[in-house]
Amino acid sequence: MSPSPHTLTHLQALEAEAIHVMREVAAEREKPVLLFSGGKDSIVLARLAEKAFRPGKFPFPLMHIDTGHNFDEVIAFRDNLVERLGERLIVASVQESIDQGRVVEETGPRASRNRLQTTTLLDALAEHGFDAAFGGARRDEERARAKERILSFRDDFGGWDPKAQRPELWNIYNTRVRRGENVRAFPLSNWTELDVWQYIQDEEIEVPSIYLAHERSVFRRDGMLYADSEHIERDARDGDPFVTSVRYRTVGDISCTGAVASEAATLASVVAEIAATNVTERGETRADDRVSESAMEDRKVAGYF
């Protein structure tokens, strides 16, 4: 028996759910914003926003929490995509938070600005009065994200209480917030990394070049390949830099984001690699999640993305 022409494929069902979430939050909240890093998940969110709201403008701006220690290719891609979309981009700078004394920069070989993003994010949400923030987090990324719901409510201080989440029955979402609260909305919660890459391939979505295999000078630390960058101080435990073919599975602060050895230079070959791996992207390439067993949840409780 052939399937009905009205039966949605797996990706079509995920797309429909994500568009529903975006429209629901945009309709119910007064001032939403879309968090946009130039990474694959936020790029997919931007494509979904086009499908949800075109031919009109997005009913929200895009906002990047910029650590200042980014991959140059990603920042260039971010600016080009925003210009093509014709939407407004707000850049909230971690460097400005440091200059204002809001956060103190870490020093030493393991220093990172990743944790500092939380203060910059919360300050930016308060400054602009945003009451909802779309993010590209997915449940398959990490254990804390696995138990976070599509709508994640944050208290007056931006904090998340995993024991006080609201029920989400079928496609019914409770978007009401008390004064001072806001909500993080994750339309891609039910997507996997493989879903994201298959969607990018099917939709022929352009992504930053670092996602595809390229030659880069890297060094090995704690089993991960880090970019040989002015933003990372090496110590005696690190190996010497060498040039090899790598690609990135995630886009984050360069000081805590590792590459994987790869020859996958096309979207089709990336999809094939992701389909074959049994290691999560954050488990393989994010040093910030290796700090402790509860590193991500601890950051979320404090107000992280």
Side-chain angles (χ1 to χ4, degrees):
M1 180 177 173
S2 60
S4 163
H6 301 296
T7 300
L8 297 180
T9 66
H10 174 64
L11 285 181
Q12 286 172 335
L14 289 173
E15 178 190 69
E17 179 188 62
I19 290 174
H20 170 71
V21 171
M22 298 187 88
R23 287 175 172 169
E24 184 77 3
V25 172
E28 294 292 331
R29 300 310 319 148
E30 293 183 5
K31 197 171 183 182
V33 65
L34 191 153
L35 301 176
F36 184 81
S37 66
K40 64 183 186 304
D41 302 303
S42 58
I43 293 170
V44 167
L45 283 183
R47 172 58 59 89
L48 293 168
E50 287 187 281
K51 294 196 175 189
F53 304 112
R54 292 295 192 232
K57 299 276 288 185
F58 294 174
F60 40 71
L62 284 65
M63 183 165 74
H64 183 206
I65 309 303
D66 186 347
T67 68
H69 290 175
N70 303 289
F71 293 91
D72 293 339
E73 300 94 327
V74 176
I75 296 301
F77 181 91
R78 177 200 71 183
D79 293 341
N80 289 335
L81 180 58
V82 170
E83 181 177 1
R84 181 183 66 76
L85 290 172
E87 300 293 341
R88 182 164 73 100
L89 174 69
I90 298 169
V91 177
S93 167
V94 171
Q95 182 62 56
E96 290 184 7
S97 297
I98 295 171
D99 294 341
Q100 295 165 1
R102 295 284 294 150
V103 293
V104 177
E105 183 158 30
E106 299 175 359
T107 59
R110 309 279 165 159
S112 171
R113 290 186 169 185
N114 184 62
R115 183 180 57 82
L116 308 184
Q117 294 180 91
T118 299
T119 297
T120 307
L121 168 64
L122 297 180
D123 286 352
L125 292 174
E127 176 187 351
H128 296 279
F130 294 127
D131 59 3
F134 292 104
R138 310 185 318 269
R139 289 193 172 107
D140 77 322
E141 291 182 69
E142 192 275 340
R143 67 189 71 185
R145 287 184 168 171
K147 61 183 179 184
E148 191 169 25
R149 297 188 178 156
I150 290 177
L151 299 190
S152 178
F153 290 84
R154 306 304 175 96
D155 64 20
D156 302 43
F157 304 99
W160 174 58
D161 181 357
K163 297 179 181 177
Q165 300 185 90
R166 297 179 183 179
E168 292 181 342
L169 305 176
W170 303 286
N171 62 348
I172 301 172
Y173 303 104
N174 182 349
T175 60
R176 293 184 179 181
V177 297
R178 298 191 304 271
R179 183 182 295 275
E181 283 185 331
N182 64 53
V183 60
R184 310 285 172 81
F186 301 118
L188 306 184
S189 281
N190 292 327
W191 298 47
T192 66
E193 182 188 13
L194 182 58
D195 294 329
V196 169
W197 279 113
Q198 288 178 325
Y199 189 76
I200 288 171
Q201 183 183 23
D202 288 357
E203 294 282 316
E204 299 180 339
I205 299 173
E206 186 181 0
V207 293
S209 58
I210 69 169
Y211 279 121
L212 304 177
H214 58 285
E215 297 286 318
R216 183 177 291 267
S217 179
V218 297
F219 67 94
R220 194 176 299 280
R221 170 187 287 175
D222 302 332
M224 288 172 48
L225 297 175
Y226 287 87
D228 181 17
S229 164
E230 60 179 333
H231 300 307
I232 307 177
E233 180 182 334
R234 298 201 309 276
D235 64 19
R237 293 170 292 179
D238 300 326
D240 292 329
F242 59 98
V243 176
T244 189
S245 180
V246 299
R247 67 176 178 83
Y248 285 83
R249 294 179 67 180
T250 67
V251 165
D253 188 272
I254 200 169
S255 62
C256 63
T257 305
V260 295
S262 174
E263 299 290 340
T266 65
L267 290 178
S269 53
V270 169
V271 168
E273 276 197 357
I274 298 301
T277 187
N278 58 3
V279 182
T280 66
E281 61 188 89
R282 296 195 69 94
E284 185 172 32
T285 65
R286 292 299 292 263
D288 46 330
D289 289 344
R290 296 183 174 189
V291 175
S292 71
E293 287 289 317
S294 60
M296 172 65 84
E297 182 162 329
D298 292 343
R299 294 200 304 276
K300 279 185 170 290
V301 168
Y304 192 70
F305 300 90

